[in-house]
Amino acid sequence: HYIPVFSGSEYLGHMWHYRDVSAQRTASEHIRKSEEKYRGIMEHMELGLLEVNSEAKIVRAYPRFCEMVGYSEPELIGHDPKLLFSPPQFMSKAHQEEAKFLQGKSVIWEAPVLKKNGSIIWTLINNTPIYDEMGNLSGTLGIHLDITEQKLLQADLERARQEAEQARD
């Protein structure tokens, strides 16, 4: 910063004020790199991430989640995830779980997810509350793991168990 210095109407020069901003610039750069690092991790992990606000509307869908469900992020923003992804016979359970995580509770649950093409995948979902800088609940982050193969294997094993029991009788 500087200000001009006058004596009467005669210009004498400028008075300069310097402030070292090195620490501030270093901290800002560190924050930028950290944000970049974690954004890269979140966008490239095999878990589907979905951010929902406190009104139960989607505010962010990460690439892996979009890939899992067949929607693009713009198609999802502003929509209620229950209405998009819950099969009708599972809607009651979806309402129950939503009530828990919208109260700030961390919830882990299995759920069928209706994809854009009409098929269903099974997911293990961890809903984690998100708080704003004032400590108020602002939404939730849903972390989705596709467990469809495990559910199919489980069903096959159950079918084989029942057939073995019937054959034994």
Side-chain angles (χ1 to χ4, degrees):
H1 298 286
Y2 67 91
I3 56 171
V5 178
F6 291 92
S7 177
S9 62
E10 180 184 353
Y11 170 73
L12 300 176
H14 283 79
M15 180 180 296
W16 293 86
H17 173 261
Y18 294 93
R19 183 173 50 136
D20 185 358
V21 294
S22 301
Q24 180 181 349
R25 293 190 92 182
T26 300
S28 293
E29 182 64 15
H30 178 72
I31 290 169
R32 187 193 65 75
K33 285 181 179 179
S34 181
E35 286 176 348
E36 189 176 292
K37 172 184 169 183
Y38 289 105
R39 185 175 11 278
I41 290 169
M42 292 176 73
E43 289 181 357
H44 295 99
M45 65 174 36
E46 285 300 309
L47 300 170
L49 303 177
L50 186 69
E51 288 183 42
V52 176
N53 66 19
S54 58
E55 286 81 43
K57 301 292 185 216
I58 297 169
V59 293
R60 178 88 158 84
Y62 289 80
R64 177 66 180 123
F65 183 82
C66 293
E67 183 182 312
M68 287 171 71
V69 298
Y71 287 92
S72 67
E73 186 179 24
E75 291 176 296
L76 297 174
I77 301 299
H79 290 279
D80 183 330
K82 289 185 315 305
L83 300 178
L84 283 177
F85 306 123
S86 296
Q89 66 275 19
F90 201 78
M91 190 61 74
S92 175
K93 175 72 171 166
H95 278 287
Q96 290 171 3
E97 297 303 326
E98 178 187 71
K100 291 176 192 175
F101 62 74
L102 288 178
Q103 291 173 359
K105 297 176 184 169
S106 187
V107 179
I108 298 174
W109 55 304
E110 287 184 7
V113 171
L114 188 60
K115 294 174 61 170
K116 184 178 180 178
N117 68 8
S119 66
I120 290 178
I121 59 170
W122 276 90
T123 60
L124 180 64
I125 305 170
N126 180 355
N127 288 106
T128 303
I130 300 172
Y131 295 95
D132 65 17
E133 60 279 350
M134 301 299 290
N136 300 312
L137 181 69
S138 63
T140 184
L141 177 67
I143 304 167
H144 300 73
L145 175 63
D146 186 340
I147 59 169
T148 304
E149 287 186 31
Q150 292 89 330
K151 291 296 267 187
L152 293 173
L153 180 59
Q154 185 180 21
D156 288 345
L157 290 172
E158 178 60 24
R159 208 172 10 261
R161 185 192 63 77
Q162 289 175 355
E163 289 173 4
E165 282 183 8
Q166 289 173 353
R168 194 176 46 191
D169 291 337

